[in-house]
PDB file of all heavy atoms in Angstrom:
ATOM      1  N   PRO A  79       0.849  -1.202   0.000  1.00 88.00           N
ATOM      2  CA  PRO A  79       0.000   0.000   0.000  1.00 88.00           C
ATOM      3  C   PRO A  79       0.880   1.247   0.000  1.00 88.00           C
ATOM      4  O   PRO A  79       1.836   1.344   0.782  1.00 88.00           O
ATOM      5  CB  PRO A  79      -0.792  -0.123   1.309  1.00 88.00           C
ATOM      6  CG  PRO A  79      -0.764  -1.587   1.640  1.00 88.00           C
ATOM      7  CD  PRO A  79       0.561  -2.078   1.142  1.00 88.00           C
ATOM      8  N   PHE A  80       0.579   2.186  -0.865  1.00 84.00           N
ATOM      9  CA  PHE A  80       1.439   3.356  -1.027  1.00 84.00           C
ATOM     10  C   PHE A  80       1.641   4.131   0.269  1.00 84.00           C
ATOM     11  O   PHE A  80       2.724   4.642   0.533  1.00 84.00           O
ATOM     12  CB  PHE A  80       0.843   4.294  -2.091  1.00 84.00           C
ATOM     13  CG  PHE A  80       1.131   3.863  -3.504  1.00 84.00           C
ATOM     14  CD1 PHE A  80       1.708   2.637  -3.780  1.00 84.00           C
ATOM     15  CD2 PHE A  80       0.831   4.706  -4.566  1.00 84.00           C
ATOM     16  CE1 PHE A  80       1.966   2.233  -5.084  1.00 84.00           C
ATOM     17  CE2 PHE A  80       1.090   4.315  -5.882  1.00 84.00           C
ATOM     18  CZ  PHE A  80       1.671   3.072  -6.133  1.00 84.00           C
ATOM     19  N   ASN A  81       0.586   4.228   1.079  1.00 86.00           N
ATOM     20  CA  ASN A  81       0.657   5.118   2.244  1.00 86.00           C
ATOM     21  C   ASN A  81       1.452   4.560   3.414  1.00 86.00           C
ATOM     22  O   ASN A  81       1.796   5.307   4.337  1.00 86.00           O
ATOM     23  CB  ASN A  81      -0.753   5.504   2.704  1.00 86.00           C
ATOM     24  CG  ASN A  81      -1.626   4.294   2.986  1.00 86.00           C
ATOM     25  OD1 ASN A  81      -1.278   3.167   2.658  1.00 86.00           O
ATOM     26  ND2 ASN A  81      -2.777   4.523   3.608  1.00 86.00           N
ATOM     27  N   ILE A  82       1.770   3.264   3.415  1.00 92.00           N
ATOM     28  CA  ILE A  82       2.516   2.696   4.540  1.00 92.00           C
ATOM     29  C   ILE A  82       3.681   1.817   4.073  1.00 92.00           C
ATOM     30  O   ILE A  82       4.191   1.009   4.842  1.00 92.00           O
ATOM     31  CB  ILE A  82       1.600   1.885   5.480  1.00 92.00           C
ATOM     32  CG1 ILE A  82       0.830   0.800   4.704  1.00 92.00           C
ATOM     33  CG2 ILE A  82       0.656   2.792   6.240  1.00 92.00           C
ATOM     34  CD1 ILE A  82       0.075  -0.162   5.617  1.00 92.00           C
ATOM     35  N   ALA A  83       4.108   1.984   2.841  1.00 95.00           N
ATOM     36  CA  ALA A  83       5.163   1.126   2.291  1.00 95.00           C
ATOM     37  C   ALA A  83       6.450   1.216   3.105  1.00 95.00           C
ATOM     38  O   ALA A  83       7.066   0.189   3.426  1.00 95.00           O
ATOM     39  CB  ALA A  83       5.426   1.496   0.834  1.00 95.00           C
ATOM     40  N   SER A  84       6.875   2.423   3.452  1.00 96.00           N
ATOM     41  CA  SER A  84       8.125   2.590   4.200  1.00 96.00           C
ATOM     42  C   SER A  84       8.048   1.931   5.567  1.00 96.00           C
ATOM     43  O   SER A  84       8.995   1.275   6.014  1.00 96.00           O
ATOM     44  CB  SER A  84       8.455   4.082   4.356  1.00 96.00           C
ATOM     45  OG  SER A  84       8.672   4.678   3.098  1.00 96.00           O
ATOM     46  N   ALA A  85       6.912   2.086   6.233  1.00 96.00           N
ATOM     47  CA  ALA A  85       6.739   1.483   7.556  1.00 96.00           C
ATOM     48  C   ALA A  85       6.773  -0.043   7.475  1.00 96.00           C
ATOM     49  O   ALA A  85       7.348  -0.712   8.346  1.00 96.00           O
ATOM     50  CB  ALA A  85       5.422   1.948   8.177  1.00 96.00           C
ATOM     51  N   ILE A  86       6.165  -0.608   6.424  1.00 97.00           N
ATOM     52  CA  ILE A  86       6.177  -2.061   6.259  1.00 97.00           C
ATOM     53  C   ILE A  86       7.602  -2.558   6.026  1.00 97.00           C
ATOM     54  O   ILE A  86       8.040  -3.546   6.634  1.00 97.00           O
ATOM     55  CB  ILE A  86       5.267  -2.470   5.085  1.00 97.00           C
ATOM     56  CG1 ILE A  86       3.806  -2.218   5.434  1.00 97.00           C
ATOM     57  CG2 ILE A  86       5.480  -3.951   4.739  1.00 97.00           C
ATOM     58  CD1 ILE A  86       2.847  -2.451   4.277  1.00 97.00           C
ATOM     59  N   ILE A  87       8.332  -1.880   5.170  1.00 97.00           N
ATOM     60  CA  ILE A  87       9.706  -2.294   4.873  1.00 97.00           C
ATOM     61  C   ILE A  87      10.565  -2.247   6.129  1.00 97.00           C
ATOM     62  O   ILE A  87      11.339  -3.162   6.410  1.00 97.00           O
ATOM     63  CB  ILE A  87      10.299  -1.416   3.764  1.00 97.00           C
ATOM     64  CG1 ILE A  87       9.603  -1.725   2.432  1.00 97.00           C
ATOM     65  CG2 ILE A  87      11.808  -1.638   3.634  1.00 97.00           C
ATOM     66  CD1 ILE A  87       9.958  -0.769   1.312  1.00 97.00           C
ATOM     67  N   GLU A  88      10.418  -1.183   6.908  1.00 96.00           N
ATOM     68  CA  GLU A  88      11.185  -1.085   8.151  1.00 96.00           C
ATOM     69  C   GLU A  88      10.847  -2.236   9.097  1.00 96.00           C
ATOM     70  O   GLU A  88      11.733  -2.811   9.740  1.00 96.00           O
ATOM     71  CB  GLU A  88      10.924   0.265   8.828  1.00 96.00           C
ATOM     72  CG  GLU A  88      11.728   1.403   8.248  1.00 96.00           C
ATOM     73  CD  GLU A  88      11.843   2.572   9.213  1.00 96.00           C
ATOM     74  OE1 GLU A  88      12.517   2.425  10.247  1.00 96.00           O
ATOM     75  OE2 GLU A  88      11.235   3.628   8.930  1.00 96.00           O
ATOM     76  N   LYS A  89       9.577  -2.569   9.198  1.00 96.00           N
ATOM     77  CA  LYS A  89       9.185  -3.677  10.083  1.00 96.00           C
ATOM     78  C   LYS A  89       9.808  -4.985   9.609  1.00 96.00           C
ATOM     79  O   LYS A  89      10.312  -5.767  10.423  1.00 96.00           O
ATOM     80  CB  LYS A  89       7.666  -3.809  10.148  1.00 96.00           C
ATOM     81  CG  LYS A  89       7.227  -4.999  11.016  1.00 96.00           C
ATOM     82  CD  LYS A  89       5.746  -5.036  11.299  1.00 96.00           C
ATOM     83  CE  LYS A  89       5.401  -6.229  12.193  1.00 96.00           C
ATOM     84  NZ  LYS A  89       3.996  -6.245  12.630  1.00 96.00           N
ATOM     85  N   MET A  90       9.788  -5.233   8.318  1.00 97.00           N
ATOM     86  CA  MET A  90      10.362  -6.475   7.791  1.00 97.00           C
ATOM     87  C   MET A  90      11.865  -6.552   8.057  1.00 97.00           C
ATOM     88  O   MET A  90      12.397  -7.616   8.371  1.00 97.00           O
ATOM     89  CB  MET A  90      10.096  -6.586   6.287  1.00 97.00           C
ATOM     90  CG  MET A  90       8.638  -6.610   5.911  1.00 97.00           C
ATOM     91  SD  MET A  90       7.723  -7.953   6.704  1.00 97.00           S
ATOM     92  CE  MET A  90       6.165  -7.153   7.028  1.00 97.00           C
ATOM     93  N   LEU A  91      12.529  -5.422   7.944  1.00 95.00           N
ATOM     94  CA  LEU A  91      13.974  -5.397   8.174  1.00 95.00           C
ATOM     95  C   LEU A  91      14.325  -5.637   9.636  1.00 95.00           C
ATOM     96  O   LEU A  91      15.462  -6.012   9.946  1.00 95.00           O
ATOM     97  CB  LEU A  91      14.556  -4.063   7.713  1.00 95.00           C
ATOM     98  CG  LEU A  91      14.578  -3.818   6.200  1.00 95.00           C
ATOM     99  CD1 LEU A  91      15.024  -2.387   5.907  1.00 95.00           C
ATOM    100  CD2 LEU A  91      15.491  -4.812   5.505  1.00 95.00           C
ATOM    101  N   HIS A  92      13.357  -5.438  10.520  1.00 94.00           N
ATOM    102  CA  HIS A  92      13.609  -5.626  11.944  1.00 94.00           C
ATOM    103  C   HIS A  92      13.141  -6.977  12.471  1.00 94.00           C
ATOM    104  O   HIS A  92      13.306  -7.268  13.657  1.00 94.00           O
ATOM    105  CB  HIS A  92      12.949  -4.505  12.750  1.00 94.00           C
ATOM    106  CG  HIS A  92      13.674  -3.196  12.666  1.00 94.00           C
ATOM    107  ND1 HIS A  92      13.479  -2.310  11.638  1.00 94.00           N
ATOM    108  CD2 HIS A  92      14.611  -2.641  13.473  1.00 94.00           C
ATOM    109  CE1 HIS A  92      14.247  -1.255  11.820  1.00 94.00           C
ATOM    110  NE2 HIS A  92      14.946  -1.430  12.923  1.00 94.00           N
ATOM    111  N   LEU A  93      12.557  -7.790  11.605  1.00 94.00           N
ATOM    112  CA  LEU A  93      12.136  -9.116  12.053  1.00 94.00           C
ATOM    113  C   LEU A  93      13.368  -9.957  12.406  1.00 94.00           C
ATOM    114  O   LEU A  93      14.296 -10.066  11.618  1.00 94.00           O
ATOM    115  CB  LEU A  93      11.337  -9.824  10.957  1.00 94.00           C
ATOM    116  CG  LEU A  93       9.913  -9.344  10.697  1.00 94.00           C
ATOM    117  CD1 LEU A  93       9.303 -10.130   9.545  1.00 94.00           C
ATOM    118  CD2 LEU A  93       9.045  -9.492  11.944  1.00 94.00           C
ATOM    119  N   GLU A  94      13.361 -10.537  13.564  1.00 91.00           N
ATOM    120  CA  GLU A  94      14.489 -11.377  13.980  1.00 91.00           C
ATOM    121  C   GLU A  94      14.268 -12.796  13.452  1.00 91.00           C
ATOM    122  O   GLU A  94      14.072 -13.747  14.206  1.00 91.00           O
ATOM    123  CB  GLU A  94      14.615 -11.352  15.495  1.00 91.00           C
ATOM    124  CG  GLU A  94      14.943  -9.964  16.045  1.00 91.00           C
ATOM    125  CD  GLU A  94      14.992  -9.929  17.553  1.00 91.00           C
ATOM    126  OE1 GLU A  94      14.622 -10.950  18.193  1.00 91.00           O
ATOM    127  OE2 GLU A  94      15.401  -8.900  18.109  1.00 91.00           O
ATOM    128  N   LEU A  95      14.290 -12.889  12.130  1.00 95.00           N
ATOM    129  CA  LEU A  95      14.052 -14.151  11.446  1.00 95.00           C
ATOM    130  C   LEU A  95      15.039 -14.297  10.291  1.00 95.00           C
ATOM    131  O   LEU A  95      15.534 -13.294   9.770  1.00 95.00           O
ATOM    132  CB  LEU A  95      12.615 -14.187  10.902  1.00 95.00           C
ATOM    133  CG  LEU A  95      11.484 -14.255  11.933  1.00 95.00           C
ATOM    134  CD1 LEU A  95      10.145 -14.050  11.247  1.00 95.00           C
ATOM    135  CD2 LEU A  95      11.501 -15.581  12.678  1.00 95.00           C
ATOM    136  N   PRO A  96      15.316 -15.527   9.860  1.00 95.00           N
ATOM    137  CA  PRO A  96      16.299 -15.747   8.779  1.00 95.00           C
ATOM    138  C   PRO A  96      15.715 -15.475   7.399  1.00 95.00           C
ATOM    139  O   PRO A  96      15.525 -16.388   6.581  1.00 95.00           O
ATOM    140  CB  PRO A  96      16.661 -17.224   8.961  1.00 95.00           C
ATOM    141  CG  PRO A  96      15.414 -17.851   9.496  1.00 95.00           C
ATOM    142  CD  PRO A  96      14.822 -16.810  10.423  1.00 95.00           C
ATOM    143  N   ILE A  97      15.429 -14.215   7.111  1.00 97.00           N
ATOM    144  CA  ILE A  97      14.857 -13.842   5.817  1.00 97.00           C
ATOM    145  C   ILE A  97      15.945 -13.910   4.749  1.00 97.00           C
ATOM    146  O   ILE A  97      17.024 -13.333   4.906  1.00 97.00           O
ATOM    147  CB  ILE A  97      14.270 -12.422   5.869  1.00 97.00           C
ATOM    148  CG1 ILE A  97      13.178 -12.332   6.950  1.00 97.00           C
ATOM    149  CG2 ILE A  97      13.709 -12.016   4.518  1.00 97.00           C
ATOM    150  CD1 ILE A  97      12.726 -10.913   7.234  1.00 97.00           C
ATOM    151  N   THR A  98      15.649 -14.600   3.657  1.00 97.00           N
ATOM    152  CA  THR A  98      16.603 -14.692   2.545  1.00 97.00           C
ATOM    153  C   THR A  98      16.560 -13.448   1.686  1.00 97.00           C
ATOM    154  O   THR A  98      17.593 -12.823   1.421  1.00 97.00           O
ATOM    155  CB  THR A  98      16.307 -15.931   1.683  1.00 97.00           C
ATOM    156  OG1 THR A  98      16.446 -17.102   2.485  1.00 97.00           O
ATOM    157  CG2 THR A  98      17.273 -16.011   0.500  1.00 97.00           C
ATOM    158  N   ASP A  99      15.353 -13.071   1.252  1.00 98.00           N
ATOM    159  CA  ASP A  99      15.217 -11.884   0.417  1.00 98.00           C
ATOM    160  C   ASP A  99      13.779 -11.381   0.448  1.00 98.00           C
ATOM    161  O   ASP A  99      12.881 -12.050   0.972  1.00 98.00           O
ATOM    162  CB  ASP A  99      15.666 -12.156  -1.023  1.00 98.00           C
ATOM    163  CG  ASP A  99      15.071 -13.443  -1.606  1.00 98.00           C
ATOM    164  OD1 ASP A  99      13.998 -13.867  -1.126  1.00 98.00           O
ATOM    165  OD2 ASP A  99      15.671 -14.022  -2.518  1.00 98.00           O
ATOM    166  N   MET A 100      13.583 -10.174  -0.112  1.00 98.00           N
ATOM    167  CA  MET A 100      12.261  -9.551  -0.146  1.00 98.00           C
ATOM    168  C   MET A 100      12.086  -8.880  -1.504  1.00 98.00           C
ATOM    169  O   MET A 100      13.040  -8.330  -2.065  1.00 98.00           O
ATOM    170  CB  MET A 100      12.112  -8.520   0.977  1.00 98.00           C
ATOM    171  CG  MET A 100      12.416  -9.063   2.367  1.00 98.00           C
ATOM    172  SD  MET A 100      11.943  -7.943   3.715  1.00 98.00           S
ATOM    173  CE  MET A 100      12.982  -6.507   3.378  1.00 98.00           C
ATOM    174  N   PHE A 101      10.855  -8.910  -2.012  1.00 98.00           N
ATOM    175  CA  PHE A 101      10.534  -8.333  -3.307  1.00 98.00           C
ATOM    176  C   PHE A 101       9.257  -7.512  -3.174  1.00 98.00           C
ATOM    177  O   PHE A 101       8.202  -8.065  -2.864  1.00 98.00           O
ATOM    178  CB  PHE A 101      10.332  -9.436  -4.352  1.00 98.00           C
ATOM    179  CG  PHE A 101      11.526 -10.332  -4.530  1.00 98.00           C
ATOM    180  CD1 PHE A 101      11.724 -11.414  -3.692  1.00 98.00           C
ATOM    181  CD2 PHE A 101      12.443 -10.085  -5.535  1.00 98.00           C
ATOM    182  CE1 PHE A 101      12.826 -12.245  -3.845  1.00 98.00           C
ATOM    183  CE2 PHE A 101      13.545 -10.901  -5.703  1.00 98.00           C
ATOM    184  CZ  PHE A 101      13.746 -11.989  -4.859  1.00 98.00           C
ATOM    185  N   PHE A 102       9.354  -6.207  -3.420  1.00 98.00           N
ATOM    186  CA  PHE A 102       8.199  -5.347  -3.212  1.00 98.00           C
ATOM    187  C   PHE A 102       7.922  -4.465  -4.425  1.00 98.00           C
ATOM    188  O   PHE A 102       8.845  -4.062  -5.141  1.00 98.00           O
ATOM    189  CB  PHE A 102       8.409  -4.438  -2.001  1.00 98.00           C
ATOM    190  CG  PHE A 102       8.525  -5.175  -0.695  1.00 98.00           C
ATOM    191  CD1 PHE A 102       9.588  -4.938   0.156  1.00 98.00           C
ATOM    192  CD2 PHE A 102       7.568  -6.101  -0.309  1.00 98.00           C
ATOM    193  CE1 PHE A 102       9.697  -5.605   1.366  1.00 98.00           C
ATOM    194  CE2 PHE A 102       7.668  -6.780   0.896  1.00 98.00           C
ATOM    195  CZ  PHE A 102       8.743  -6.528   1.738  1.00 98.00           C
ATOM    196  N   MET A 103       6.648  -4.159  -4.611  1.00 95.00           N
ATOM    197  CA  MET A 103       6.214  -3.113  -5.535  1.00 95.00           C
ATOM    198  C   MET A 103       5.907  -1.887  -4.688  1.00 95.00           C
ATOM    199  O   MET A 103       5.119  -1.963  -3.734  1.00 95.00           O
ATOM    200  CB  MET A 103       4.962  -3.540  -6.291  1.00 95.00           C
ATOM    201  CG  MET A 103       4.418  -2.460  -7.220  1.00 95.00           C
ATOM    202  SD  MET A 103       5.145  -2.512  -8.843  1.00 95.00           S
ATOM    203  CE  MET A 103       4.344  -3.982  -9.489  1.00 95.00           C
ATOM    204  N   VAL A 104       6.533  -0.763  -5.026  1.00 96.00           N
ATOM    205  CA  VAL A 104       6.338   0.474  -4.268  1.00 96.00           C
ATOM    206  C   VAL A 104       6.242   1.642  -5.242  1.00 96.00           C
ATOM    207  O   VAL A 104       6.478   1.491  -6.450  1.00 96.00           O
ATOM    208  CB  VAL A 104       7.504   0.728  -3.291  1.00 96.00           C
ATOM    209  CG1 VAL A 104       7.585  -0.363  -2.236  1.00 96.00           C
ATOM    210  CG2 VAL A 104       8.838   0.839  -4.044  1.00 96.00           C
ATOM    211  N   GLN A 105       5.903   2.805  -4.723  1.00 95.00           N
ATOM    212  CA  GLN A 105       5.979   4.009  -5.534  1.00 95.00           C
ATOM    213  C   GLN A 105       7.409   4.176  -6.040  1.00 95.00           C
ATOM    214  O   GLN A 105       8.375   3.900  -5.320  1.00 95.00           O
ATOM    215  CB  GLN A 105       5.601   5.237  -4.711  1.00 95.00           C
ATOM    216  CG  GLN A 105       4.118   5.495  -4.589  1.00 95.00           C
ATOM    217  CD  GLN A 105       3.850   6.766  -3.816  1.00 95.00           C
ATOM    218  OE1 GLN A 105       3.829   6.739  -2.582  1.00 95.00           O
ATOM    219  NE2 GLN A 105       3.657   7.865  -4.494  1.00 95.00           N
ATOM    220  N   LEU A 106       7.550   4.667  -7.255  1.00 96.00           N
ATOM    221  CA  LEU A 106       8.885   4.885  -7.812  1.00 96.00           C
ATOM    222  C   LEU A 106       9.708   5.799  -6.921  1.00 96.00           C
ATOM    223  O   LEU A 106      10.908   5.578  -6.714  1.00 96.00           O
ATOM    224  CB  LEU A 106       8.763   5.481  -9.216  1.00 96.00           C
ATOM    225  CG  LEU A 106      10.078   5.817  -9.925  1.00 96.00           C
ATOM    226  CD1 LEU A 106      10.960   4.595 -10.071  1.00 96.00           C
ATOM    227  CD2 LEU A 106       9.788   6.450 -11.296  1.00 96.00           C
ATOM    228  N   GLU A 107       9.063   6.803  -6.359  1.00 96.00           N
ATOM    229  CA  GLU A 107       9.765   7.735  -5.477  1.00 96.00           C
ATOM    230  C   GLU A 107      10.337   7.029  -4.256  1.00 96.00           C
ATOM    231  O   GLU A 107      11.458   7.321  -3.819  1.00 96.00           O
ATOM    232  CB  GLU A 107       8.819   8.857  -5.025  1.00 96.00           C
ATOM    233  CG  GLU A 107       9.462   9.856  -4.081  1.00 96.00           C
ATOM    234  CD  GLU A 107       8.473  10.870  -3.534  1.00 96.00           C
ATOM    235  OE1 GLU A 107       7.304  10.864  -3.972  1.00 96.00           O
ATOM    236  OE2 GLU A 107       8.875  11.664  -2.670  1.00 96.00           O
ATOM    237  N   VAL A 108       9.593   6.093  -3.685  1.00 97.00           N
ATOM    238  CA  VAL A 108      10.078   5.345  -2.523  1.00 97.00           C
ATOM    239  C   VAL A 108      11.265   4.473  -2.915  1.00 97.00           C
ATOM    240  O   VAL A 108      12.265   4.394  -2.198  1.00 97.00           O
ATOM    241  CB  VAL A 108       8.951   4.480  -1.921  1.00 97.00           C
ATOM    242  CG1 VAL A 108       9.484   3.567  -0.820  1.00 97.00           C
ATOM    243  CG2 VAL A 108       7.843   5.377  -1.376  1.00 97.00           C
ATOM    244  N   ALA A 109      11.176   3.822  -4.065  1.00 97.00           N
ATOM    245  CA  ALA A 109      12.289   3.007  -4.545  1.00 97.00           C
ATOM    246  C   ALA A 109      13.537   3.856  -4.739  1.00 97.00           C
ATOM    247  O   ALA A 109      14.652   3.441  -4.380  1.00 97.00           O
ATOM    248  CB  ALA A 109      11.909   2.329  -5.859  1.00 97.00           C
ATOM    249  N   GLN A 110      13.370   5.043  -5.280  1.00 97.00           N
ATOM    250  CA  GLN A 110      14.507   5.938  -5.498  1.00 97.00           C
ATOM    251  C   GLN A 110      15.124   6.378  -4.176  1.00 97.00           C
ATOM    252  O   GLN A 110      16.354   6.513  -4.075  1.00 97.00           O
ATOM    253  CB  GLN A 110      14.062   7.146  -6.320  1.00 97.00           C
ATOM    254  CG  GLN A 110      13.723   6.795  -7.761  1.00 97.00           C
ATOM    255  CD  GLN A 110      13.073   7.940  -8.522  1.00 97.00           C
ATOM    256  OE1 GLN A 110      12.433   8.823  -7.933  1.00 97.00           O
ATOM    257  NE2 GLN A 110      13.217   7.939  -9.840  1.00 97.00           N
ATOM    258  N   ARG A 111      14.291   6.596  -3.169  1.00 97.00           N
ATOM    259  CA  ARG A 111      14.816   6.979  -1.856  1.00 97.00           C
ATOM    260  C   ARG A 111      15.612   5.837  -1.234  1.00 97.00           C
ATOM    261  O   ARG A 111      16.668   6.043  -0.637  1.00 97.00           O
ATOM    262  CB  ARG A 111      13.661   7.383  -0.939  1.00 97.00           C
ATOM    263  CG  ARG A 111      13.078   8.757  -1.234  1.00 97.00           C
ATOM    264  CD  ARG A 111      11.768   8.949  -0.518  1.00 97.00           C
ATOM    265  NE  ARG A 111      11.872   8.655   0.900  1.00 97.00           N
ATOM    266  CZ  ARG A 111      10.842   8.341   1.682  1.00 97.00           C
ATOM    267  NH1 ARG A 111       9.630   8.251   1.164  1.00 97.00           N
ATOM    268  NH2 ARG A 111      11.026   8.103   2.952  1.00 97.00           N
TER     269      ARG A 111
END
């Protein structure tokens, strides 16, 4: 969701789990940031 994409990504990065990789569709502006 465009309005909470950054918050979701931050939460995923903080999960204390063995994540291999992540693939997201986001606003182009968010991807550029």
Side-chain angles (χ1 to χ4, degrees):
F80 280 9
N81 55 349
I82 55 171
S84 297
I86 291 174
I87 291 171
E88 279 201 68
K89 177 170 181 174
M90 299 303 143
L91 290 173
H92 285 84
L93 286 178
E94 296 177 352
L95 292 171
I97 301 170
T98 299
D99 48 25
M100 306 191 298
F101 302 85
F102 296 128
M103 177 88 73
V104 296
Q105 277 183 276
L106 178 59
E107 179 186 354
V108 173
Q110 291 171 334
R111 284 167 52 202

